[in-house]
Structures are given as C-alpha cells and as structure tokens.
Amino acid sequence: MIFTTPLYAEDAEKILAEVVNQQQQQLPIMLDLATRIDNITYADRTVHYKLTLSGYEGRPGEQAYYQSYLAQQINKSLCSQTAYLLILALGNKITYQYNSADLKNIAEVTLAPGDCKS
C-alpha cells in the first residue's frame, strides 16, 4: 500500500506560485486578435492577469460595455474550468485587469471563492 500526505494549503500556494512563474516566462502572448496577456503574478492569494486590449478608443459607453461584457465572459469561462475552480476552492482570487494600448484602464474583473456557485 502506498500512502501519500495530503496537499495542504501551504503546498498548494507554493505550487500555484510556481505555475504562475512558469506561465509568466512565456509572456507576452496573444489570446486572440485583440487580447494580449502581458503579465501574470501571484501574491496575497490572488492570481493577477494584466492584459492589453487593442482597438479600444475610449468612446462614450465603450468602457462600461467592456466592463459588463468581460465580467460576463470571464465568469462563464472560468466557472466552467476545473483548474480555475480549484484555485478558487483553495481560497484564492483571480483578477483580470484590462488596459488599452496606451495604458488606460478599461476594466477589472475579480472572481473570489464562492463566485462560481450555480
């Protein structure tokens, strides 16, 4: 019989920090024609993604549209993926911060533990 020790929260944090560090080394990377991931960090129990949206012009209502649209899309996407659900279940948050090419804040979306309950 093989016995293994349980994965404790401290171990999970170390593993998550290492995974984020490995992903960071592959950046920047384009997700699609308009979205680039520039940076990923893990600190204070939060995985923080910094992204750039190309084509953002700052027209009236555009920022509100993106905030609503991105919040909806992120929630739908992340709440259906086991890896992200595990990150949240371990007490972490996931934040996506979107900026324009000229570094203007467009939107920020954070998912916290419990946000993905159906």
Side-chain angles (χ1 to χ4, degrees), residues 46-93:
T46 301
V47 178
H48 192 145
Y49 291 84
K50 289 187 179 180
L51 302 100
T52 298
L53 282 179
S54 62
Y56 178 79
E57 298 175 8
R59 295 179 298 229
E62 191 175 16
Q63 186 174 12
Y65 165 78
Y66 274 113
Q67 179 67 43
S68 174
Y69 175 77
L70 292 168
Q72 197 174 60
Q73 292 302 309
I74 288 169
N75 191 305
K76 182 179 176 182
S77 176
L78 269 57
C79 290
S80 66
Q81 296 183 41
T82 305
Y84 289 108
L85 291 172
L86 179 59
I87 290 170
L88 296 171
L90 291 170
N92 297 290
K93 295 179 184 176

mmCIF file of all heavy atoms in Angstrom, residues 46-93:
data_model
loop_
_atom_site.group_PDB
_atom_site.id
_atom_site.type_symbol
_atom_site.label_atom_id
_atom_site.label_comp_id
_atom_site.label_asym_id
_atom_site.label_seq_id
_atom_site.Cartn_x
_atom_site.Cartn_y
_atom_site.Cartn_z
ATOM 1 N N THR A 46 -3.938 36.028 -4.644
ATOM 2 C CA THR A 46 -4.611 36.478 -5.861
ATOM 3 C C THR A 46 -3.734 36.211 -7.075
ATOM 4 O O THR A 46 -2.574 36.610 -7.109
ATOM 5 C CB THR A 46 -4.926 37.990 -5.796
ATOM 6 O OG1 THR A 46 -5.763 38.234 -4.662
ATOM 7 C CG2 THR A 46 -5.633 38.468 -7.049
ATOM 8 N N VAL A 47 -4.309 35.527 -8.074
ATOM 9 C CA VAL A 47 -3.666 35.395 -9.378
ATOM 10 C C VAL A 47 -4.129 36.613 -10.165
ATOM 11 O O VAL A 47 -5.322 36.824 -10.353
ATOM 12 C CB VAL A 47 -4.077 34.095 -10.100
ATOM 13 C CG1 VAL A 47 -3.424 34.031 -11.473
ATOM 14 C CG2 VAL A 47 -3.721 32.872 -9.262
ATOM 15 N N HIS A 48 -3.171 37.438 -10.590
ATOM 16 C CA HIS A 48 -3.495 38.709 -11.242
ATOM 17 C C HIS A 48 -2.969 38.685 -12.685
ATOM 18 O O HIS A 48 -1.769 38.589 -12.910
ATOM 19 C CB HIS A 48 -2.838 39.851 -10.474
ATOM 20 C CG HIS A 48 -3.335 41.198 -10.878
ATOM 21 N ND1 HIS A 48 -3.474 42.227 -9.997
ATOM 22 C CD2 HIS A 48 -3.726 41.709 -12.054
ATOM 23 C CE1 HIS A 48 -3.925 43.293 -10.613
ATOM 24 N NE2 HIS A 48 -4.072 42.987 -11.883
ATOM 25 N N TYR A 49 -3.915 38.776 -13.613
ATOM 26 C CA TYR A 49 -3.579 38.835 -15.033
ATOM 27 C C TYR A 49 -3.675 40.289 -15.486
ATOM 28 O O TYR A 49 -4.669 40.961 -15.218
ATOM 29 C CB TYR A 49 -4.581 38.026 -15.870
ATOM 30 C CG TYR A 49 -4.515 36.536 -15.674
ATOM 31 C CD1 TYR A 49 -5.197 35.923 -14.624
ATOM 32 C CD2 TYR A 49 -3.805 35.740 -16.558
ATOM 33 C CE1 TYR A 49 -5.153 34.551 -14.460
ATOM 34 C CE2 TYR A 49 -3.760 34.366 -16.397
ATOM 35 C CZ TYR A 49 -4.442 33.790 -15.336
ATOM 36 O OH TYR A 49 -4.403 32.421 -15.182
ATOM 37 N N LYS A 50 -2.637 40.760 -16.180
ATOM 38 C CA LYS A 50 -2.690 42.087 -16.804
ATOM 39 C C LYS A 50 -2.723 41.867 -18.310
ATOM 40 O O LYS A 50 -1.855 41.192 -18.863
ATOM 41 C CB LYS A 50 -1.482 42.929 -16.413
ATOM 42 C CG LYS A 50 -1.531 43.366 -14.971
ATOM 43 C CD LYS A 50 -0.412 44.331 -14.646
ATOM 44 C CE LYS A 50 -0.514 44.749 -13.189
ATOM 45 N NZ LYS A 50 0.540 45.691 -12.827
ATOM 46 N N LEU A 51 -3.761 42.446 -18.938
ATOM 47 C CA LEU A 51 -3.975 42.235 -20.364
ATOM 48 C C LEU A 51 -4.105 43.566 -21.079
ATOM 49 O O LEU A 51 -4.499 44.569 -20.477
ATOM 50 C CB LEU A 51 -5.251 41.424 -20.588
ATOM 51 C CG LEU A 51 -5.296 40.058 -19.916
ATOM 52 C CD1 LEU A 51 -6.098 40.126 -18.640
ATOM 53 C CD2 LEU A 51 -5.880 39.040 -20.849
ATOM 54 N N THR A 52 -3.800 43.544 -22.369
ATOM 55 C CA THR A 52 -3.985 44.714 -23.224
ATOM 56 C C THR A 52 -5.035 44.375 -24.275
ATOM 57 O O THR A 52 -4.970 43.311 -24.896
ATOM 58 C CB THR A 52 -2.665 45.107 -23.921
ATOM 59 O OG1 THR A 52 -1.710 45.459 -22.925
ATOM 60 C CG2 THR A 52 -2.868 46.274 -24.867
ATOM 61 N N LEU A 53 -5.994 45.287 -24.439
ATOM 62 C CA LEU A 53 -6.999 45.161 -25.494
ATOM 63 C C LEU A 53 -6.655 46.156 -26.587
ATOM 64 O O LEU A 53 -6.658 47.364 -26.349
ATOM 65 C CB LEU A 53 -8.402 45.486 -24.967
ATOM 66 C CG LEU A 53 -9.118 44.425 -24.164
ATOM 67 C CD1 LEU A 53 -10.477 44.937 -23.708
ATOM 68 C CD2 LEU A 53 -9.289 43.148 -24.964
ATOM 69 N N SER A 54 -6.351 45.671 -27.767
ATOM 70 C CA SER A 54 -6.079 46.580 -28.871
ATOM 71 C C SER A 54 -7.403 47.026 -29.474
ATOM 72 O O SER A 54 -8.400 46.325 -29.388
ATOM 73 C CB SER A 54 -5.194 45.919 -29.924
ATOM 74 O OG SER A 54 -5.849 44.806 -30.468
ATOM 75 N N GLY A 55 -7.415 48.197 -30.034
ATOM 76 C CA GLY A 55 -8.624 48.697 -30.678
ATOM 77 C C GLY A 55 -9.533 49.494 -29.771
ATOM 78 O O GLY A 55 -10.542 50.028 -30.222
ATOM 79 N N TYR A 56 -9.206 49.597 -28.491
ATOM 80 C CA TYR A 56 -10.028 50.385 -27.571
ATOM 81 C C TYR A 56 -9.813 51.864 -27.868
ATOM 82 O O TYR A 56 -8.683 52.338 -27.924
ATOM 83 C CB TYR A 56 -9.641 50.085 -26.124
ATOM 84 C CG TYR A 56 -10.404 50.898 -25.109
ATOM 85 C CD1 TYR A 56 -11.698 50.543 -24.753
ATOM 86 C CD2 TYR A 56 -9.834 52.012 -24.513
ATOM 87 C CE1 TYR A 56 -12.405 51.281 -23.819
ATOM 88 C CE2 TYR A 56 -10.530 52.758 -23.586
ATOM 89 C CZ TYR A 56 -11.814 52.385 -23.235
ATOM 90 O OH TYR A 56 -12.509 53.115 -22.313
ATOM 91 N N GLU A 57 -10.910 52.587 -28.071
ATOM 92 C CA GLU A 57 -10.816 54.001 -28.446
ATOM 93 C C GLU A 57 -11.329 54.954 -27.375
ATOM 94 O O GLU A 57 -11.182 56.158 -27.503
ATOM 95 C CB GLU A 57 -11.568 54.232 -29.759
ATOM 96 C CG GLU A 57 -10.969 53.449 -30.915
ATOM 97 C CD GLU A 57 -11.771 53.586 -32.184
ATOM 98 O OE1 GLU A 57 -12.710 54.406 -32.238
ATOM 99 O OE2 GLU A 57 -11.446 52.865 -33.141
ATOM 100 N N GLY A 58 -11.963 54.444 -26.337
ATOM 101 C CA GLY A 58 -12.449 55.295 -25.266
ATOM 102 C C GLY A 58 -13.685 56.109 -25.619
ATOM 103 O O GLY A 58 -13.938 57.160 -25.041
ATOM 104 N N ARG A 59 -14.467 55.634 -26.575
ATOM 105 C CA ARG A 59 -15.698 56.329 -26.958
ATOM 106 C C ARG A 59 -16.700 56.268 -25.806
ATOM 107 O O ARG A 59 -16.623 55.371 -24.963
ATOM 108 C CB ARG A 59 -16.298 55.694 -28.201
ATOM 109 C CG ARG A 59 -15.424 55.850 -29.443
ATOM 110 C CD ARG A 59 -16.076 55.161 -30.617
ATOM 111 N NE ARG A 59 -16.198 53.731 -30.312
ATOM 112 C CZ ARG A 59 -15.840 52.749 -31.102
ATOM 113 N NH1 ARG A 59 -15.363 53.005 -32.287
ATOM 114 N NH2 ARG A 59 -15.967 51.495 -30.743
ATOM 115 N N PRO A 60 -17.667 57.186 -25.772
ATOM 116 C CA PRO A 60 -18.685 57.164 -24.716
ATOM 117 C C PRO A 60 -19.387 55.804 -24.648
ATOM 118 O O PRO A 60 -19.811 55.266 -25.669
ATOM 119 C CB PRO A 60 -19.666 58.266 -25.128
ATOM 120 C CG PRO A 60 -18.848 59.195 -25.966
ATOM 121 C CD PRO A 60 -17.849 58.319 -26.692
ATOM 122 N N GLY A 61 -19.439 55.236 -23.465
ATOM 123 C CA GLY A 61 -20.094 53.947 -23.255
ATOM 124 C C GLY A 61 -19.218 52.740 -23.513
ATOM 125 O O GLY A 61 -19.575 51.623 -23.128
ATOM 126 N N GLU A 62 -18.080 52.932 -24.159
ATOM 127 C CA GLU A 62 -17.223 51.800 -24.508
ATOM 128 C C GLU A 62 -16.658 51.116 -23.262
ATOM 129 O O GLU A 62 -16.646 49.882 -23.171
ATOM 130 C CB GLU A 62 -16.086 52.261 -25.435
ATOM 131 C CG GLU A 62 -15.310 51.130 -26.051
ATOM 132 C CD GLU A 62 -14.273 51.609 -27.054
ATOM 133 O OE1 GLU A 62 -13.923 52.813 -27.078
ATOM 134 O OE2 GLU A 62 -13.813 50.760 -27.833
ATOM 135 N N GLN A 63 -16.223 51.891 -22.286
ATOM 136 C CA GLN A 63 -15.656 51.299 -21.076
ATOM 137 C C GLN A 63 -16.719 50.515 -20.304
ATOM 138 O O GLN A 63 -16.466 49.408 -19.848
ATOM 139 C CB GLN A 63 -15.028 52.367 -20.187
ATOM 140 C CG GLN A 63 -14.309 51.769 -18.992
ATOM 141 C CD GLN A 63 -13.555 52.801 -18.186
ATOM 142 O OE1 GLN A 63 -13.727 53.999 -18.360
ATOM 143 N NE2 GLN A 63 -12.722 52.347 -17.283
ATOM 144 N N ALA A 64 -17.912 51.081 -20.168
ATOM 145 C CA ALA A 64 -18.997 50.375 -19.471
ATOM 146 C C ALA A 64 -19.355 49.085 -20.193
ATOM 147 O O ALA A 64 -19.612 48.049 -19.556
ATOM 148 C CB ALA A 64 -20.216 51.285 -19.353
ATOM 149 N N TYR A 65 -19.364 49.133 -21.518
ATOM 150 C CA TYR A 65 -19.649 47.933 -22.303
ATOM 151 C C TYR A 65 -18.611 46.850 -22.012
ATOM 152 O O TYR A 65 -18.958 45.701 -21.738
ATOM 153 C CB TYR A 65 -19.664 48.249 -23.806
ATOM 154 C CG TYR A 65 -19.592 47.004 -24.658
ATOM 155 C CD1 TYR A 65 -20.729 46.217 -24.859
ATOM 156 C CD2 TYR A 65 -18.385 46.596 -25.216
ATOM 157 C CE1 TYR A 65 -20.663 45.049 -25.618
ATOM 158 C CE2 TYR A 65 -18.313 45.429 -25.974
ATOM 159 C CZ TYR A 65 -19.450 44.666 -26.163
ATOM 160 O OH TYR A 65 -19.371 43.510 -26.903
ATOM 161 N N TYR A 66 -17.331 47.218 -22.086
ATOM 162 C CA TYR A 66 -16.277 46.235 -21.852
ATOM 163 C C TYR A 66 -16.338 45.680 -20.438
ATOM 164 O O TYR A 66 -16.149 44.481 -20.223
ATOM 165 C CB TYR A 66 -14.890 46.827 -22.134
ATOM 166 C CG TYR A 66 -14.480 46.719 -23.579
ATOM 167 C CD1 TYR A 66 -14.334 47.851 -24.362
ATOM 168 C CD2 TYR A 66 -14.220 45.485 -24.158
ATOM 169 C CE1 TYR A 66 -13.953 47.752 -25.698
ATOM 170 C CE2 TYR A 66 -13.835 45.380 -25.487
ATOM 171 C CZ TYR A 66 -13.700 46.514 -26.248
ATOM 172 O OH TYR A 66 -13.317 46.407 -27.562
ATOM 173 N N GLN A 67 -16.580 46.531 -19.443
ATOM 174 C CA GLN A 67 -16.644 46.056 -18.061
ATOM 175 C C GLN A 67 -17.737 44.994 -17.930
ATOM 176 O O GLN A 67 -17.511 43.932 -17.373
ATOM 177 C CB GLN A 67 -16.910 47.213 -17.095
ATOM 178 C CG GLN A 67 -17.015 46.788 -15.638
ATOM 179 C CD GLN A 67 -15.723 46.274 -15.048
ATOM 180 O OE1 GLN A 67 -14.667 46.840 -15.262
ATOM 181 N NE2 GLN A 67 -15.793 45.191 -14.291
ATOM 182 N N SER A 68 -18.892 45.268 -18.465
ATOM 183 C CA SER A 68 -20.013 44.326 -18.379
ATOM 184 C C SER A 68 -19.741 43.061 -19.196
ATOM 185 O O SER A 68 -19.918 41.942 -18.704
ATOM 186 C CB SER A 68 -21.287 45.004 -18.882
ATOM 187 O OG SER A 68 -22.343 44.081 -18.932
ATOM 188 N N TYR A 69 -19.309 43.237 -20.425
ATOM 189 C CA TYR A 69 -19.068 42.107 -21.318
ATOM 190 C C TYR A 69 -17.963 41.198 -20.770
ATOM 191 O O TYR A 69 -18.120 39.971 -20.724
ATOM 192 C CB TYR A 69 -18.690 42.611 -22.712
ATOM 193 C CG TYR A 69 -18.309 41.514 -23.662
ATOM 194 C CD1 TYR A 69 -19.285 40.710 -24.260
ATOM 195 C CD2 TYR A 69 -16.970 41.262 -23.960
ATOM 196 C CE1 TYR A 69 -18.933 39.690 -25.128
ATOM 197 C CE2 TYR A 69 -16.613 40.243 -24.830
ATOM 198 C CZ TYR A 69 -17.594 39.458 -25.407
ATOM 199 O OH TYR A 69 -17.246 38.442 -26.247
ATOM 200 N N LEU A 70 -16.852 41.791 -20.349
ATOM 201 C CA LEU A 70 -15.733 40.985 -19.870
ATOM 202 C C LEU A 70 -16.078 40.261 -18.575
ATOM 203 O O LEU A 70 -15.709 39.097 -18.398
ATOM 204 C CB LEU A 70 -14.488 41.851 -19.693
ATOM 205 C CG LEU A 70 -13.898 42.387 -21.005
ATOM 206 C CD1 LEU A 70 -12.852 43.457 -20.727
ATOM 207 C CD2 LEU A 70 -13.317 41.258 -21.843
ATOM 208 N N ALA A 71 -16.802 40.917 -17.674
ATOM 209 C CA ALA A 71 -17.206 40.269 -16.429
ATOM 210 C C ALA A 71 -18.061 39.037 -16.734
ATOM 211 O O ALA A 71 -17.866 37.962 -16.153
ATOM 212 C CB ALA A 71 -17.963 41.248 -15.543
ATOM 213 N N GLN A 72 -18.972 39.189 -17.658
ATOM 214 C CA GLN A 72 -19.854 38.091 -18.050
ATOM 215 C C GLN A 72 -19.060 36.939 -18.678
ATOM 216 O O GLN A 72 -19.254 35.770 -18.332
ATOM 217 C CB GLN A 72 -20.882 38.629 -19.039
ATOM 218 C CG GLN A 72 -22.082 37.773 -19.252
ATOM 219 C CD GLN A 72 -23.069 38.511 -20.153
ATOM 220 O OE1 GLN A 72 -22.734 38.848 -21.289
ATOM 221 N NE2 GLN A 72 -24.260 38.754 -19.644
ATOM 222 N N GLN A 73 -18.159 37.264 -19.603
ATOM 223 C CA GLN A 73 -17.383 36.245 -20.299
ATOM 224 C C GLN A 73 -16.410 35.523 -19.369
ATOM 225 O O GLN A 73 -16.258 34.300 -19.455
ATOM 226 C CB GLN A 73 -16.626 36.861 -21.480
ATOM 227 C CG GLN A 73 -17.536 37.332 -22.591
ATOM 228 C CD GLN A 73 -18.395 36.212 -23.131
ATOM 229 O OE1 GLN A 73 -17.915 35.139 -23.474
ATOM 230 N NE2 GLN A 73 -19.694 36.440 -23.197
ATOM 231 N N ILE A 74 -15.750 36.266 -18.497
ATOM 232 C CA ILE A 74 -14.784 35.658 -17.572
ATOM 233 C C ILE A 74 -15.502 34.726 -16.614
ATOM 234 O O ILE A 74 -15.068 33.597 -16.376
ATOM 235 C CB ILE A 74 -13.985 36.742 -16.832
ATOM 236 C CG1 ILE A 74 -12.999 37.394 -17.817
ATOM 237 C CG2 ILE A 74 -13.254 36.175 -15.626
ATOM 238 C CD1 ILE A 74 -12.350 38.644 -17.298
ATOM 239 N N ASN A 75 -16.608 35.181 -16.063
ATOM 240 C CA ASN A 75 -17.360 34.340 -15.141
ATOM 241 C C ASN A 75 -17.796 33.057 -15.822
ATOM 242 O O ASN A 75 -17.604 31.960 -15.293
ATOM 243 C CB ASN A 75 -18.569 35.116 -14.601
ATOM 244 C CG ASN A 75 -19.230 34.402 -13.455
ATOM 245 O OD1 ASN A 75 -19.622 33.255 -13.571
ATOM 246 N ND2 ASN A 75 -19.354 35.088 -12.342
ATOM 247 N N LYS A 76 -18.345 33.172 -17.008
ATOM 248 C CA LYS A 76 -18.814 31.996 -17.756
ATOM 249 C C LYS A 76 -17.664 31.040 -18.063
ATOM 250 O O LYS A 76 -17.777 29.826 -17.875
ATOM 251 C CB LYS A 76 -19.482 32.457 -19.054
ATOM 252 C CG LYS A 76 -20.040 31.347 -19.895
ATOM 253 C CD LYS A 76 -20.694 31.912 -21.144
ATOM 254 C CE LYS A 76 -21.190 30.825 -22.058
ATOM 255 N NZ LYS A 76 -21.784 31.372 -23.283
ATOM 256 N N SER A 77 -16.552 31.576 -18.511
ATOM 257 C CA SER A 77 -15.417 30.747 -18.910
ATOM 258 C C SER A 77 -14.716 30.101 -17.711
ATOM 259 O O SER A 77 -14.510 28.893 -17.674
ATOM 260 C CB SER A 77 -14.415 31.588 -19.699
ATOM 261 O OG SER A 77 -13.280 30.823 -20.015
ATOM 262 N N LEU A 78 -14.344 30.908 -16.718
ATOM 263 C CA LEU A 78 -13.594 30.384 -15.586
ATOM 264 C C LEU A 78 -14.406 29.431 -14.729
ATOM 265 O O LEU A 78 -13.878 28.449 -14.224
ATOM 266 C CB LEU A 78 -13.042 31.521 -14.723
ATOM 267 C CG LEU A 78 -11.640 32.012 -15.082
ATOM 268 C CD1 LEU A 78 -11.563 32.464 -16.527
ATOM 269 C CD2 LEU A 78 -11.194 33.074 -14.144
ATOM 270 N N CYS A 79 -15.684 29.712 -14.563
ATOM 271 C CA CYS A 79 -16.526 28.875 -13.711
ATOM 272 C C CYS A 79 -16.843 27.525 -14.340
ATOM 273 O O CYS A 79 -17.468 26.678 -13.708
ATOM 274 C CB CYS A 79 -17.809 29.629 -13.340
ATOM 275 S SG CYS A 79 -17.514 31.004 -12.207
ATOM 276 N N SER A 80 -16.398 27.303 -15.564
ATOM 277 C CA SER A 80 -16.617 26.009 -16.212
ATOM 278 C C SER A 80 -15.313 25.219 -16.361
ATOM 279 O O SER A 80 -15.311 24.153 -16.968
ATOM 280 C CB SER A 80 -17.266 26.207 -17.587
ATOM 281 O OG SER A 80 -16.380 26.873 -18.458
ATOM 282 N N GLN A 81 -14.211 25.740 -15.812
ATOM 283 C CA GLN A 81 -12.922 25.070 -15.946
ATOM 284 C C GLN A 81 -12.413 24.591 -14.588
ATOM 285 O O GLN A 81 -12.243 25.376 -13.660
ATOM 286 C CB GLN A 81 -11.900 26.004 -16.582
ATOM 287 C CG GLN A 81 -12.262 26.386 -18.007
ATOM 288 C CD GLN A 81 -11.208 27.255 -18.644
ATOM 289 O OE1 GLN A 81 -10.024 27.022 -18.465
ATOM 290 N NE2 GLN A 81 -11.648 28.261 -19.385
ATOM 291 N N THR A 82 -12.151 23.304 -14.492
ATOM 292 C CA THR A 82 -11.751 22.681 -13.239
ATOM 293 C C THR A 82 -10.527 23.344 -12.606
ATOM 294 O O THR A 82 -10.497 23.550 -11.395
ATOM 295 C CB THR A 82 -11.473 21.176 -13.467
ATOM 296 O OG1 THR A 82 -12.632 20.582 -14.058
ATOM 297 C CG2 THR A 82 -11.146 20.480 -12.169
ATOM 298 N N ALA A 83 -9.531 23.698 -13.384
ATOM 299 C CA ALA A 83 -8.313 24.285 -12.828
ATOM 300 C C ALA A 83 -8.616 25.600 -12.104
ATOM 301 O O ALA A 83 -8.101 25.852 -11.004
ATOM 302 C CB ALA A 83 -7.282 24.523 -13.931
ATOM 303 N N TYR A 84 -9.453 26.435 -12.704
ATOM 304 C CA TYR A 84 -9.799 27.707 -12.068
ATOM 305 C C TYR A 84 -10.690 27.489 -10.856
ATOM 306 O O TYR A 84 -10.569 28.184 -9.851
ATOM 307 C CB TYR A 84 -10.456 28.650 -13.074
ATOM 308 C CG TYR A 84 -9.483 29.168 -14.097
ATOM 309 C CD1 TYR A 84 -9.531 28.714 -15.413
ATOM 310 C CD2 TYR A 84 -8.505 30.087 -13.753
ATOM 311 C CE1 TYR A 84 -8.630 29.166 -16.363
ATOM 312 C CE2 TYR A 84 -7.601 30.544 -14.691
ATOM 313 C CZ TYR A 84 -7.667 30.090 -15.990
ATOM 314 O OH TYR A 84 -6.760 30.549 -16.912
ATOM 315 N N LEU A 85 -11.588 26.521 -10.929
ATOM 316 C CA LEU A 85 -12.437 26.208 -9.782
ATOM 317 C C LEU A 85 -11.594 25.746 -8.599
ATOM 318 O O LEU A 85 -11.874 26.094 -7.451
ATOM 319 C CB LEU A 85 -13.477 25.154 -10.155
ATOM 320 C CG LEU A 85 -14.564 25.613 -11.123
ATOM 321 C CD1 LEU A 85 -15.416 24.426 -11.571
ATOM 322 C CD2 LEU A 85 -15.428 26.691 -10.505
ATOM 323 N N LEU A 86 -10.533 24.989 -8.871
ATOM 324 C CA LEU A 86 -9.632 24.542 -7.812
ATOM 325 C C LEU A 86 -8.900 25.726 -7.182
ATOM 326 O O LEU A 86 -8.774 25.804 -5.962
ATOM 327 C CB LEU A 86 -8.632 23.516 -8.354
ATOM 328 C CG LEU A 86 -7.611 22.980 -7.349
ATOM 329 C CD1 LEU A 86 -8.302 22.315 -6.167
ATOM 330 C CD2 LEU A 86 -6.655 22.008 -8.029
ATOM 331 N N ILE A 87 -8.429 26.633 -8.008
ATOM 332 C CA ILE A 87 -7.750 27.828 -7.487
ATOM 333 C C ILE A 87 -8.676 28.579 -6.534
ATOM 334 O O ILE A 87 -8.276 28.981 -5.434
ATOM 335 C CB ILE A 87 -7.296 28.742 -8.639
ATOM 336 C CG1 ILE A 87 -6.146 28.086 -9.412
ATOM 337 C CG2 ILE A 87 -6.865 30.118 -8.119
ATOM 338 C CD1 ILE A 87 -5.792 28.785 -10.709
ATOM 339 N N LEU A 88 -9.921 28.754 -6.932
ATOM 340 C CA LEU A 88 -10.896 29.451 -6.086
ATOM 341 C C LEU A 88 -11.225 28.635 -4.837
ATOM 342 O O LEU A 88 -11.334 29.190 -3.739
ATOM 343 C CB LEU A 88 -12.165 29.751 -6.880
ATOM 344 C CG LEU A 88 -12.013 30.716 -8.063
ATOM 345 C CD1 LEU A 88 -13.295 30.749 -8.884
ATOM 346 C CD2 LEU A 88 -11.619 32.106 -7.599
ATOM 347 N N ALA A 89 -11.369 27.331 -4.984
ATOM 348 C CA ALA A 89 -11.712 26.462 -3.853
ATOM 349 C C ALA A 89 -10.625 26.482 -2.778
ATOM 350 O O ALA A 89 -10.912 26.268 -1.601
ATOM 351 C CB ALA A 89 -11.961 25.036 -4.332
ATOM 352 N N LEU A 90 -9.401 26.766 -3.182
ATOM 353 C CA LEU A 90 -8.301 26.838 -2.227
ATOM 354 C C LEU A 90 -8.216 28.205 -1.547
ATOM 355 O O LEU A 90 -7.270 28.491 -0.834
ATOM 356 C CB LEU A 90 -6.969 26.507 -2.924
ATOM 357 C CG LEU A 90 -6.826 25.043 -3.347
ATOM 358 C CD1 LEU A 90 -5.604 24.860 -4.242
ATOM 359 C CD2 LEU A 90 -6.747 24.142 -2.120
ATOM 360 N N GLY A 91 -9.224 29.053 -1.793
ATOM 361 C CA GLY A 91 -9.289 30.345 -1.106
ATOM 362 C C GLY A 91 -8.619 31.489 -1.830
ATOM 363 O O GLY A 91 -8.399 32.552 -1.249
ATOM 364 N N ASN A 92 -8.303 31.298 -3.093
ATOM 365 C CA ASN A 92 -7.644 32.346 -3.873
ATOM 366 C C ASN A 92 -8.655 33.145 -4.680
ATOM 367 O O ASN A 92 -9.774 32.705 -4.897
ATOM 368 C CB ASN A 92 -6.631 31.718 -4.847
ATOM 369 C CG ASN A 92 -5.530 31.005 -4.117
ATOM 370 O OD1 ASN A 92 -4.692 31.613 -3.481
ATOM 371 N ND2 ASN A 92 -5.544 29.684 -4.192
ATOM 372 N N LYS A 93 -8.215 34.304 -5.148
ATOM 373 C CA LYS A 93 -8.983 35.132 -6.073
ATOM 374 C C LYS A 93 -8.261 35.123 -7.417
ATOM 375 O O LYS A 93 -7.061 34.851 -7.487
ATOM 376 C CB LYS A 93 -9.067 36.578 -5.580
ATOM 377 C CG LYS A 93 -9.836 36.743 -4.299
ATOM 378 C CD LYS A 93 -9.831 38.207 -3.890
ATOM 379 C CE LYS A 93 -10.523 38.380 -2.557
ATOM 380 N NZ LYS A 93 -10.438 39.774 -2.098
#
